[in-house]
Amino acid sequence: MNTNAVIYQDLDRILVTREQIAAAVKELGEKLTEKFRGEEPIFVCILKGASVFFTDLIREIDVPLTTDFMVVSSYGSSTKSTGVVKIVKDLDKPVVGKHVVIVEDIVDSGMTLHYLKKVFANREAASVSIVTLLDKPARRRVDLKVDYSCFNIPDAFVVGYGLDFDEKYRNLPDIGVLHPRIYSDAEK
Ligand code: IMP
Ligand code: MG
């Protein structure tokens, strides 16, 4: 898809290109291969945002991993998150004694992952690591250790490569800042 495509018209600017993403995903895959050599970790994809990142990332990892998928949603509106996360679809298999790697699209307040980390610790996972494509450190509201992040980004609303606004733009191959006129139109 070229950057003149119809859905690119709603972007203010491109923040991370597909080439930058591919290079970062490859490098992260190499690091995770080193870290989990000799192990059989479970890679958990947090749907739907992390789906595109997840499918690219696991193909860059050379250890015999398994995959599982979770759908979560935050209680309350996006601006007033309570930090309580509802598990809409849980994992298919138990994680007891397993090395769990949670794969997220973006860490914002950090509340979703803070909660999920506790969930997996309570389920007696051997370890819980957090991997994210994007991190907005300026927005953090809880103390959260992010083990691997590909890009730190400024406090702007971004879409593409799996990330959405109102379920759209997930199919953009690059990551861009959504033009503010799109939210103001949506609020009308
Ligand atoms: P938090 O870290 O618990 O605040 O929540 C992170 C979640 O909010 C992510 O998994 C995304 O679904 C969503 N989110 C946060 N910032 C953005 C953004 O800039 N674009 C799209 N989704 C976002
Ligand atoms: Mg998400």
Side-chain angles (χ1 to χ4, degrees), residues 104-112 136 156-158 163-164:
E104 250 290 29
D105 51 357
I106 185 165
V107 184
D108 188 50
S109 71
M111 294 175 105
T112 306
K136 282 186 198 171
F157 196 85
V158 295
L163 290 102
D164 75 308

Side-chain angles (χ1 to χ4, degrees), residues 11 15 106 134 136 153-154 156-160 163-165 175-178 183:
L11 297 186
L15 196 62
I106 185 165
L134 305 173
K136 282 186 198 171
I153 62 163
F157 196 85
V158 295
V159 294
L163 290 102
D164 75 308
F165 173 68
I175 293 165
V177 175
L178 192 63
Y183 328 111

Side-chain angles (χ1 to χ4, degrees), residues 9-10 18 20 28 42 65 67 76 114 119 124 127 131 134 136 140 162 172 179:
Q9 310 304 311
D10 293 346
R18 62 194 86 181
Q20 290 172 315
L28 177 56
I42 304 182
L65 57 81
T67 60
H114 185 74
V119 168
E124 295 171 33
S127 69
V131 167
L134 305 173
K136 282 186 198 171
R140 200 72 90 252
L172 282 176
H179 199 289

Side-chain angles (χ1 to χ4, degrees), residues 3 7 9 17 20 25 36 45 47 74 98 101-102 109 111 113 116 120 126 132 142-143 154 157:
T3 53
I7 47 174
Q9 310 304 311
T17 65
Q20 290 172 315
V25 168
F36 291 107
C45 176
L47 295 172
S74 297
K98 294 280 193 175
V101 183
I102 307 177
S109 71
M111 294 175 105
L113 286 174
L116 287 180
F120 290 121
T132 186
V142 288
D143 187 28
F157 196 85

